[in-house]
Amino acid sequence: MAKIISENKILNNKNLIRLIETLIPNVNDAPSGVEAGVQYYLVKALNAHRKNILPSYEVILKSLEIISKEFYKNTFWKLDDDHAEIVVSKVQVIESGAFESVRNLVFEGYFAHPRWRDGKGKSVWSAIGFRPILRNQDQFGEI
Amino acid sequence: MSSKKFEKTLETDVVIIGSGAGGACAAWGIANKGIDTLVIEKGDWLKDDTYDDDELHYYILKKGWPSIENEYSMADLYRGKESKERPHRMGQSYGCVGGGTIYYAGVSSRFYREDFEKYKIWGDIPGANLADWPKGFYEEIGPYYSQAEELIGVSGDYSNDYARFNQLNHRPRLLPPLPYHKIGERLNDAAKELGWNPFPIPLALNSIYNEKTNSNWCISSGMCSGYPCAWGAKNSVDQVVLSNLVDKPNFSILTNTLAAFAETDSKGNISGVVCINRSSKEKFFVKAKAVILACSGILSPLFCLNSQTKQHQNGLGNSNDLVGRNLMFHIEGQRGAQFDGDFGNEEFHNLKKVMVTDFYIPDQSDEFVNHMSIQMGSKSGPIRYVLSKVPEGWGRQYLKDMHKNYMQYHELQAMCEDLPQLSNRVTAADRKDVDGMPVAHIHHRFHKMDGLAFIKTMEKMEQWLQAGGGKMITGISSDMVEWKRLIDQGEDIPPMRRPYGYHLMGTLRMGDDPDRSVVNRYCQFHEVPNLFCVDSSIFPTSAGVNPTLTIQANALRVADKIINLSRSQWK
Ligand SMILES: Cc1cc2nc3c(=O)[nH]c(=O)nc-3n(C[C@H](O)[C@H](O)[C@H](O)COP(=O)(O)OP(=O)(O)OC[C@H]3O[C@@H](n4cnc5c(N)ncnc54)[C@H](O)[C@@H]3O)c2cc1C
Ligand code: SF4
């Protein structure tokens, strides 16, 4: 069956990658959202159990670009960290419902079992002290 | 319908429908006495390699769980009207070998003596339909509690459960309790400071290596309630009961097979069960001398209602229209808090460690008659934590706080009795499930006293969390604020907005009087002598602790009764 949204469209979307990195930056020793492979989760989720979030996802990406251009005359992914955070905060206010859905989706992907992120994000759980039992421990390395 | 219609017919002494807590224990008691026993289970054996701590898979997308839309329809009764039908989390049970015990948290409490004498103690309560368990039930089930604890492998220690310990008529046979870990110690001390008597929750999890079942001890890993144990330390009945029966020549289990309805003979006895192979859709007939229902508190009455025969036109054993009534769920709810302090990197995610029953029996000032206990709760996995406990926020500071806060967040869980009501019931819906059988239609509303008892439990939980140093206490839901307001105004309480009910009880009431109950003290249908039930459908009242150990002990008790019957009537 044809994908609702293609892998390319997600993985190569620089504004999306910047958004994930802004929502979940690298702190303490934990990987950032992008290092954890949240974008791979989005490919799976938006084509399946979270396809209802697709409209919100599109609204947010559009708003990020509009606000970014309006305030900083630049495309969103090129902004520095501080400016990116300001733009995301504004989008959060203007598109609160859609923002919440997308924010939740990104965090859901971050903390999901690594198999949902194509095995990436090995140290996500240990950063918060969570130590689950995984069957295929070797496949996912030290988590 | 006649069995002659089916090409394939099997024959056995006893058919048990459902392989969960009750079905497995009944099978143990019966098959071990050499009687031909066939278990019919609509689900499959879960494969070991599907066990994993995958929160998204098991808990959020509910992949391991049956599709509720396929099994139930639900109508809330409120102010005499039924709200729009909607799928509902209330009334879940699992469709696999082992049933709910694969996914349960393992809390294995005995009931108190007072739980069996509800009507005797409290009398008539307007709007409720209280009843006593049959006379002498507490004494009779005592030895079976011990047997079930040993068979299943329950860890714990009742010696500080002052009220219960003094009344125990049969000594528990328990493995040592699981360690409390730091947060357990903290809450244990806090409860003592409040003058309460905390004690370890009896759990069907191994505290030590279990020689009998050759299984691991619990390492208090990540996810327990709602997940199969990937470590093999949870004593689900597929592991500790059924896997020890499968090699017996007189025992067999048919999986992926739905028991659709029963047929009866001219005397109204069951002649057998019509089954559907859920893969091939082939229908076949299983002829049996006795049938035991163990489908859960919702699906057992549904089976009776779906079995309308010439002799039982209203459904099996339902001439008094009591089948499906008095449905109870318990009211469960969590309250959590952030605790300062270093909990280290301890493995303590399964926090079902300490419980209190000090206000189990209501006192003079309470305006309700419900029993209640409070347990430490399991920790939610990180996804549910980040989506529901700290739902707003993102970015650097948020993540820093989140990393710290997750380890310091702990929850308590309320286990509150709900009262039986005739209007809370299961009926057969017009809608059909994937196998072509009517789904269960659930009508349910809590009693005003349930609301009051729940509010008190939630207040006690706050007191406990605060005494332990908990801050930012969560869990007073908008439901309760609304409930309180309505109760103060003398109004009915509405359905909970986000209810869930894992304990399904009451729908085939046990009692001595055939006009007021469905099964007798041996869980034998008054109107169908070769039909029995061993799940929590038979509970006349629900008690303020979890039901499964009582289901298991009772199933062992009923099995003994059936053995006696078989000796006198079948040979
Ligand atoms: C997340 C969770 C946590 C829980 N924690 C606890 C706890 O800590 N302590 C506790 O006491 N209880 C707990 N419970 C509840 C516990 O699981 C149930 O009380 C217990 O499993 C009920 O046993 P049962 O034999 O009545 O039914 P089940 O265990 O549900 O078994 C019924 C079986 O019958 C099968 N079946 C149904 N209809 C048919 C049919 N027509 N044909 C063939 N097969 C059929 C089902 O597939 C199922 O396998 C929990 C439940 C859940 C969901
Ligand atoms: S807490 Fe214990 S029994 Fe539960 S899943 Fe973890 S290891 Fe298994």
Side-chain angles (χ1 to χ4, degrees):
Chain A
M1 215 167 57
K3 289 217 156 147
I4 300 167
I5 178 165
S6 75
E7 192 169 309
N8 254 347
K9 229 174 148 186
I10 292 179
L11 299 183
N12 297 329
N13 187 327
K14 290 183 174 157
N15 278 354
L16 171 68
I17 299 296
R18 189 79 183 95
L19 172 66
I20 297 173
E21 205 69 4
T22 310
L23 294 178
I24 308 182
N26 198 301
V27 291
N28 302 339
D29 287 331
S32 69
V34 172
E35 284 163 359
V38 169
Q39 59 279 24
Y40 295 94
Y41 174 68
L42 263 50
V43 173
K44 284 196 173 70
L46 288 172
N47 278 297
H49 54 274
R50 298 289 184 229
K51 55 177 180 265
N52 60 325
I53 293 178
L54 204 56
S56 301
Y57 166 88
E58 273 156 5
V59 164
I60 294 305
L61 286 178
K62 205 166 146 195
S63 305
L64 285 171
E65 192 60 4
I66 292 171
I67 307 264
S68 183
K69 292 225 165 99
E70 191 181 323
F71 282 84
Y72 301 111
K73 310 273 176 280
N74 209 344
T75 191
F76 177 64
W77 66 268
K78 288 191 173 160
L79 300 182
D80 62 29
D81 288 354
D82 290 343
H83 287 165
E85 276 187 14
I86 292 169
V87 169
V88 172
S89 302
K90 287 185 188 298
V91 171
Q92 179 172 21
V93 173
I94 298 165
E95 299 290 354
S96 56
F99 182 84
E100 194 187 331
S101 303
V102 172
R103 177 259 181 207
N104 287 354
L105 182 70
V106 168
F107 274 96
E108 180 176 275
Y110 186 65
F111 286 116
H113 188 293
R115 77 161 63 91
W116 293 94
R117 290 177 263 116
D118 293 353
K120 301 201 167 41
K122 298 175 169 80
S123 53
V124 168
W125 283 338
S126 56
I128 55 168
F130 181 64
R131 286 207 260 157
I133 308 168
L134 296 183
R135 276 279 146 180
N136 302 313
Q137 199 95 19
D138 297 345
Q139 191 186 331
F140 302 115
E142 194 261 321
I143 47 134
Chain B
M1 199 179 294
S2 153
S3 55
K4 291 194 188 79
K5 275 181 59 178
F6 302 101
E7 274 177 25
K8 185 168 131 189
T9 300
L10 307 176
E11 195 165 342
T12 183
D13 286 339
V14 175
V15 163
I16 300 175
I17 307 176
S19 67
C25 290
W28 179 264
I30 291 169
N32 274 324
K33 293 281 161 47
I35 290 178
D36 275 352
T37 309
L38 171 67
V39 172
I40 296 173
E41 168 54 58
K42 72 179 171 153
D44 277 317
W45 290 92
L46 277 198
K47 290 188 190 65
D48 239 23
D49 60 4
T50 59
Y51 288 22
D52 219 333
D53 277 353
D54 187 339
E55 189 184 8
L56 196 59
H57 177 87
Y58 282 113
Y59 222 99
I60 294 176
L61 303 178
K62 310 234 182 301
K63 290 292 186 193
W65 306 35
S67 155
I68 291 164
E69 289 83 344
N70 282 341
E71 303 231 7
Y72 305 127
S73 67
M74 176 89 190
D76 299 308
L77 270 181
Y78 179 43
R79 292 178 182 159
K81 280 193 235 135
E82 288 199 359
S83 61
K84 213 170 133 245
E85 184 187 312
R86 62 192 162 111
H88 210 281
R89 288 181 69 202
M90 213 86 174
Q92 280 157 347
S93 73
Y94 292 90
C96 56
V97 176
T101 67
I102 300 241
Y103 297 86
Y104 79 156
V107 177
S108 297
S109 295
R110 294 182 177 205
F111 284 10
Y112 283 78
R113 179 187 289 282
E114 289 84 345
D115 290 320
F116 300 106
E117 299 176 344
K118 202 80 196 180
Y119 185 79
K120 188 172 149 198
I121 297 171
W122 300 103
D124 285 318
I125 300 293
N129 184 26
L130 290 195
D132 289 335
W133 294 54
K135 206 159 186 287
F137 198 89
Y138 179 69
E139 284 70 26
E140 195 173 322
I141 201 169
Y144 292 100
Y145 269 139
S146 309
Q147 231 184 77
E149 282 157 354
E150 196 169 32
L151 172 66
I152 301 298
V154 177
S155 306
D157 177 3
Y158 277 131
S159 55
N160 205 31
D161 180 8
Y162 74 108
R164 190 187 332 244
F165 192 69
N166 291 335
Q167 47 169 253
L168 283 174
N169 67 339
H170 230 270
R171 290 292 139 204
R173 293 193 207 146
L174 303 174
L175 300 168
L178 281 120
Y180 275 176
H181 298 299
K182 282 185 190 156
I183 182 65
E185 296 287 359
R186 166 109 53 117
L187 284 166
N188 189 55
D189 293 347
K192 282 186 184 159
E193 275 165 32
L194 289 167
W196 301 349
N197 296 273
F199 62 95
I201 305 181
L203 289 167
L205 317 179
N206 294 323
S207 52
I208 49 176
Y209 169 73
N210 192 332
E211 267 177 43
K212 226 175 60 193
T213 53
N214 186 23
S215 50
N216 270 335
W217 63 92
C218 167
I219 53 165
S220 293
S221 70
M223 293 141 183
C224 198
S225 181
Y227 304 83
C229 176
W231 192 246
K234 189 189 288 189
N235 292 328
S236 52
V237 292
D238 59 322
Q239 307 277 338
V240 296
V241 180
L242 295 169
S243 59
N244 292 324
L245 284 177
V246 285
D247 291 336
K248 284 192 170 294
N250 61 319
F251 174 84
S252 42
I253 176 162
L254 275 181
T255 57
N256 203 22
T257 302
L258 183 87
F261 54 90
E263 290 192 351
T264 51
D265 61 20
S266 56
K267 289 187 189 148
N269 277 324
I270 293 208
S271 49
V273 178
V274 175
C275 297
I276 303 173
N277 176 319
R278 301 184 81 197
S279 313
S280 67
K281 300 291 171 202
E282 178 200 21
K283 279 191 179 158
F284 59 97
F285 189 70
V286 180
K287 208 171 156 206
K289 291 176 181 148
V291 173
I292 302 178
L293 296 177
C295 306
S296 82
I298 288 178
L299 299 181
S300 284
L302 181 67
F303 179 87
C304 296
L305 296 170
N306 283 345
S307 303
Q308 294 178 355
T309 69
K310 196 168 160 211
Q311 294 72 24
H312 301 278
Q313 298 194 354
N314 219 9
L316 292 175
N318 195 26
S319 67
N320 55 11
D321 190 29
L322 281 181
V323 166
R325 293 191 182 269
N326 298 308
L327 173 64
M328 295 167 285
F329 285 120
H330 280 152
I331 311 196
E332 299 181 45
Q334 285 92 20
R335 302 205 69 179
Q338 294 293 145
F339 290 84
D340 285 341
D342 180 15
F343 295 102
N345 213 4
E346 268 189 329
E347 300 165 3
F348 61 76
H349 296 281
N350 176 29
L351 291 172
K352 290 260 176 192
K353 298 292 163 72
V354 192
M355 72 186 279
V356 293
T357 51
D358 293 270
F359 18 84
Y360 193 80
I361 310 290
D363 59 39
Q364 299 271 305
S365 62
D366 289 322
E367 290 176 69
F368 54 82
V369 302
N370 310 52
H371 296 169
M372 60 169 82
S373 60
I374 303 177
Q375 309 162 358
M376 283 179 69
S378 301
K379 199 177 182 82
S380 40
I383 300 179
R384 277 182 307 145
Y385 177 75
V386 82
L387 298 191
S388 66
K389 312 294 179 205
V390 283
E392 280 142 33
W394 46 271
R396 274 168 284 196
Q397 194 52 48
Y398 174 80
L399 277 150
K400 275 186 196 153
D401 292 344
M402 150 87 193
H403 291 179
K404 185 164 71 64
N405 290 347
Y406 179 71
M407 291 307 274
Q408 297 182 329
Y409 178 79
H410 301 291
E411 276 181 358
L412 297 176
Q413 159 123 9
M415 192 56 63
C416 207
E417 178 175 33
D418 53 338
L419 303 183
Q421 300 176 66
L422 278 170
S423 54
N424 285 346
R425 66 188 298 203
V426 176
T427 56
D430 294 334
R431 191 155 59 80
K432 303 273 167 54
D433 65 13
V434 282
D435 302 304
M437 296 305 296
V439 300
H441 190 54
I442 299 167
H443 314 249
H444 185 266
R445 189 190 70 193
F446 285 114
H447 191 276
K448 183 174 137 186
M449 285 193 177
D450 303 341
L452 287 168
F454 187 56
I455 290 167
K456 174 172 169 183
T457 322
M458 295 299 258
E459 285 165 0
K460 290 284 178 195
M461 285 156 87
E462 180 163 350
Q463 221 181 326
W464 193 4
L465 290 167
Q466 269 170 353
K471 295 188 189 113
M472 299 195 298
I473 294 174
T474 60
I476 267 287
S477 67
S478 50
D479 275 325
M480 281 194 315
V481 177
E482 175 74 350
W483 280 16
K484 224 170 172 165
R485 190 182 67 75
L486 289 169
I487 291 169
D488 286 348
Q489 291 173 4
E491 291 218 35
D492 285 347
I493 50 173
M496 287 170 99
R497 247 161 276 173
R498 295 182 57 221
Y500 62 95
Y502 299 148
H503 303 158
L504 321 173
M505 299 163 284
T507 46
L508 299 170
R509 175 175 278 195
M510 171 171 55
D512 294 328
D513 180 354
D515 291 333
R516 305 183 55 155
S517 56
V518 180
V519 300
N520 67 19
R521 62 181 301 124
Y522 297 112
C523 303
Q524 180 177 27
F525 277 62
H526 293 300
E527 298 172 14
V528 195
N530 67 341
L531 178 62
F532 298 79
C533 175
V534 292
D535 57 45
S536 36
S537 308
I538 60 99
F539 287 16
T541 47
S542 68
V545 289
N546 312 47
T548 304
L549 186 74
T550 302
I551 300 175
Q552 291 164 326
N554 183 52
L556 293 169
R557 186 186 72 93
V558 173
D560 272 358
K561 174 67 185 169
I562 293 175
I563 300 296
N564 290 338
L565 266 185
S566 72
R567 287 196 185 117
S568 60
Q569 295 179 13
W570 300 348
K571 301 284 173 189

